[in-house]
Amino acid sequence: MSSHSKDTDRLHGKLKGVWRRHRSAIHIGGIAWALALLAPLVIALFFLDRMLDLPRLARWGLLLAAIAVFVWQLRKRWFTRLRPYDGLTWASRVETTFPQLNSLLVSFVQLSQPSPAATGSEELFSMVKNQALQESKPLDFSQSVDFRDLRPIIKWAVISVLVLLLVGFLMTSSLWVAGQRYLGIDIPYPTATELANIPSDQTIAEGSSISLQVDAQGKVPKSGAIWVRSEPSEQWRRIDVPQSDEPGVFRYEVASASESFEYRFEIGDASSHTKRAPGKITVVSPPKVVGETLLVTPPEYTGLQPYSADSLASTVPSGSALKWTVTLDSQVDEGEVQGPDDWSQAGTLSADGKTLEFDWTSHSAGMYRLQSTGGELGLTVSGDDYRLRLREDQEPRAYLVAPSSSVKATPNKNLNLTVRASDDYGLSEMAIVYRLNGEETEQRIPLGPPPSNDSQQELEHPRSGTWPLQWNIPEQLPNLKSGDLIEVALEVTEVAAHPDQARRAVTRSCEIEILSLTDYQAYITSRFDQLQSNIAEAERRETLIKHALDTSQNKTTSE
């Protein structure tokens, strides 16, 4: 190969060197642009999701948009600027940097390329090539590509990377979570305040109370807030929630829930739920009682006939058989009635699921409540309270009308007694009870059931009345003698479900002093004399009063 050919190749090599240097600058600039774009995009994606808590599809859409912008800018600023080697282009670029070449380099490249259109003598071509080689030999073509032009973008790339590293250093865990979220994993961002025991969605009956509570850990503020709304279309309403007496516990209470609502706690920088997926409290209307009847069958011994009442909130005889029929406005799966002392009984459900029937015997007064299960969402709800009152069987009462005081009698005395007695459900028996001379053992003389009076003929057992009785003392006590003392009273027994459970009432006692015939006659004589004396005294007082009245009348007339 001639030296002329070597010089020509060397000149073309210098031009290709400039082209390669330019490509290197493009690659370096492209990498710088990639870094300068990547860091802001990553930071923007992170903060947008961190502040707005974007849904998954929004995150994916934002990520695709960021990727599209990134690729578009890299293609524009990197890949589309890469061109294949073109001698004329780079000869012109070099001559722009070295104008003293006076187009010799461009002419050299044109003459070096085979071209059918090129005309002229070989001597002319050789002269141009030699002159171009001679003028370009001392020149450094690399000056046509100045890497210092990349300093602005490199500076921005370094700043962007440093900012990204700083954000990553300060918020490493959050950036890691953001990466997972943009990959489709729905996990919350870490916060300085951490919430535990977050309540789950609940369904409650209308009018029920509810307490929502979260436990805060980490950096716990003195006060937080709960955001609530009744409908998704409504604006969120903020309600301040102070920390309770229990450390770290924030509680929101509703005494009587009337409508469904959504909520989310915000304690410090932590939230219990997101705006898109808030906590939900669903309030449903419980089955309501639209009708009820109570069939009361009193105990047989009371003599009362069965009757109906409008409500369980009634007063019924104790021990009555109750049949409570309840009609509801909606279907239920089952129901029970709950009463005092943890008593309960399941009801019989009708075919349509709207009627419950309960049968039990009333032995306990107090509050009763209907609890039903089923209906909307299968809730177990409690209905209204009913106060059932019992009319207890009252104890019998007895009063000795006569004798009104102690009696003196002979051993052959027939004693007349009068007793007034009553019981709410009837008297089954009367008896005379007595004790002789203070004996410890009391004697009892059954008299059988009291006779019915005219007003109580329809009753099996009379419930009240005044009955005269006669006791033939010698028949029961044939050996009485003067000086004996009898304490006598009357006893009545009530009607009861079981005879051994019947209660008794005893009147006051009356003392009977037994006298000899002579002493009794003397007693009667003294009593007669006393009565005559009392009559004379009464007549004397009557005369005095009459005289006083006449005197007063005469005095008034004279005046």
Side-chain angles (χ1 to χ4, degrees):
M1 181 179 295
S2 64
S3 61
H4 184 272
S5 298
K6 290 181 180 180
D7 291 339
T8 301
D9 292 339
R10 188 180 301 111
L11 184 57
H12 280 293
K14 291 177 67 175
L15 290 175
K16 287 184 177 181
V18 175
W19 168 72
R20 283 192 290 268
R21 181 179 174 88
H22 178 69
R23 288 179 65 87
S24 299
I26 292 175
H27 286 307
I28 295 173
I31 293 173
W33 270 108
L35 294 176
L37 287 172
L38 182 62
L41 287 174
V42 169
I43 293 173
L45 290 174
F46 165 64
F47 279 106
L48 283 173
D49 185 46
R50 185 71 176 82
M51 292 185 296
L52 302 179
D53 191 20
L54 300 172
R56 182 185 302 174
L57 292 179
R59 294 196 300 268
W60 285 352
L62 196 61
L63 180 61
L64 290 176
I67 292 174
V69 170
F70 183 72
V71 171
W72 170 58
Q73 287 295 321
L74 287 188
R75 183 176 179 278
K76 175 183 178 182
R77 300 180 184 277
W78 189 348
F79 301 110
T80 57
R81 297 179 61 194
L82 296 174
R83 299 283 190 273
Y85 174 71
D86 181 10
L88 286 175
T89 299
W90 288 102
S92 177
R93 175 93 175 252
V94 170
E95 288 193 356
T96 301
T97 305
F98 301 102
Q100 65 268 28
L101 292 176
N102 293 320
S103 301
L104 287 174
L105 195 57
V106 173
S107 300
F108 166 77
V109 174
Q110 289 176 336
L111 294 176
S112 298
Q113 295 177 348
S115 174
T119 59
S121 64
E122 286 293 333
E123 291 81 3
L124 178 61
F125 291 164
S126 179
M127 182 183 65
V128 171
K129 292 178 181 179
N130 291 332
Q131 190 174 0
L133 290 172
Q134 186 68 29
E135 293 293 333
S136 63
K137 187 174 183 178
L139 300 178
D140 183 6
F141 287 3
S142 63
Q143 295 181 15
S144 300
V145 178
D146 193 352
F147 281 97
R148 290 177 298 179
D149 295 338
L150 298 176
R151 283 186 296 185
I153 186 59
I154 291 175
K155 183 186 299 183
W156 278 111
V158 171
I159 293 174
S160 297
V161 171
L162 290 177
V163 171
L164 180 61
L165 291 176
L166 179 62
V167 172
F169 176 76
L170 297 177
M171 310 179 75
T172 305
S173 56
S174 294
L175 276 176
W176 174 251
V177 170
Q180 297 180 75
R181 286 172 60 85
Y182 276 102
L183 291 177
I185 304 174
D186 288 322
I187 56 176
Y189 283 99
T191 55
T193 303
E194 297 181 2
L195 300 183
N197 300 324
I198 297 174
S200 57
D201 293 348
Q202 301 180 50
T203 300
I204 62 173
E206 182 181 0
S208 301
S209 62
I210 186 171
S211 177
L212 301 174
Q213 173 182 313
V214 293
D215 298 338
Q217 302 171 355
K219 186 178 180 180
V220 180
K222 293 182 179 180
S223 179
I226 185 172
W227 296 81
V228 297
R229 65 182 181 185
S230 300
E231 298 290 341
S233 58
E234 291 184 0
Q235 294 292 326
W236 288 99
R237 303 188 307 274
R238 175 189 169 95
I239 301 174
D240 291 333
V241 179
Q243 187 175 174
S244 69
D245 295 336
E246 304 173 55
V249 175
F250 294 83
R251 187 178 295 112
Y252 174 69
E253 296 179 338
V254 178
S256 178
S258 59
E259 59 181 354
S260 302
F261 63 93
E262 298 176 341
Y263 72 94
R264 55 187 175 89
F265 280 97
E266 283 190 0
I267 311 298
D269 61 347
S271 295
S272 62
H273 302 80
T274 64
K275 291 182 179 180
R276 296 183 315 279
K280 295 182 179 179
I281 302 298
T282 303
V283 178
V284 298
S285 298
K288 292 183 174 61
V289 175
V290 294
E292 57 171 316
T293 58
L294 179 67
L295 178 62
V296 182
T297 303
E300 185 178 357
Y301 77 91
T302 65
L304 300 175
Q305 296 299 314
Y307 64 94
S308 295
D310 295 333
S311 172
L312 181 60
S314 304
T315 301
V316 301
S318 179
S320 297
L322 304 181
K323 177 177 284 188
W324 187 36
T325 304
V326 181
T327 303
L328 306 172
D329 64 350
S330 59
Q331 290 184 346
V332 297
D333 297 331
E334 59 184 17
E336 70 174 13
V337 61
Q338 300 174 342
D341 303 324
D342 297 328
W343 174 89
S344 64
Q345 185 183 81
T348 302
L349 187 64
S350 63
D352 63 359
K354 293 185 177 181
T355 302
L356 286 165
E357 191 173 274
F358 303 92
D359 293 276
W360 77 95
T361 302
S362 59
H363 290 300
S364 299
M367 301 303 297
Y368 287 76
R369 176 178 296 175
L370 174 66
Q371 180 173 281
S372 58
T373 301
E376 189 175 356
L377 302 180
L379 279 178
T380 297
V381 296
S382 297
D384 297 332
D385 290 335
Y386 301 85
R387 180 177 291 279
L388 179 66
R389 296 176 174 85
L390 299 184
R391 186 166 59 249
E392 299 292 345
D393 188 358
Q394 302 297 314
E395 293 186 5
R397 293 174 292 178
Y399 173 69
L400 184 62
V401 178
S404 60
S405 60
S406 299
V407 176
K408 298 183 185 296
T410 64
N412 298 320
K413 174 74 172 178
N414 282 333
L415 182 64
N416 292 319
L417 302 168
T418 302
V419 63
R420 183 181 297 123
S422 64
D423 183 72
D424 49 357
Y425 296 130
L427 299 167
S428 63
E429 184 185 28
M430 302 179 72
I432 295 175
V433 291
Y434 68 93
R435 183 181 288 111
L436 180 61
N437 295 326
E439 294 177 347
E440 292 185 4
T441 303
E442 189 176 67
Q443 304 299 320
R444 187 173 185 273
I445 305 173
L447 301 178
S452 298
N453 53 38
D454 293 339
S455 63
Q456 303 180 62
Q457 289 294 333
E458 74 280 359
L459 299 177
E460 183 178 356
H461 301 280
R463 297 180 180 176
S464 63
T466 301
W467 290 275
L469 304 171
Q470 189 177 70
W471 181 29
N472 188 353
I473 296 177
E475 184 178 336
Q476 301 296 330
L477 299 170
N479 299 319
L480 287 176
K481 59 184 182 298
S482 177
D484 287 340
L485 184 65
I486 304 171
E487 296 176 71
V488 63
L490 285 169
E491 176 190 88
V492 294
T493 304
E494 69 174 354
V495 175
H498 302 284
D500 58 344
Q501 297 177 351
R503 294 167 296 183
R504 297 173 178 177
V506 181
T507 68
R508 63 176 175 82
S509 62
C510 174
E511 291 184 350
I512 304 173
E513 183 181 356
I514 303 300
L515 302 175
S516 65
L517 184 58
T518 303
D519 291 339
Y520 184 72
Q521 290 176 344
Y523 167 71
I524 293 298
T525 301
S526 66
R527 287 285 295 168
F528 181 75
D529 293 342
Q530 182 65 41
L531 286 173
Q532 284 184 325
S533 175
N534 291 341
I535 292 172
E537 179 64 23
E539 290 177 347
R540 187 183 68 83
R541 290 186 178 183
E542 182 182 0
T543 301
L544 291 174
I545 292 172
K546 184 177 180 181
H547 177 72
L549 289 174
D550 291 342
T551 303
S552 176
Q553 186 176 5
N554 293 334
K555 185 178 180 180
T556 302
T557 302
S558 63
E559 291 177 355

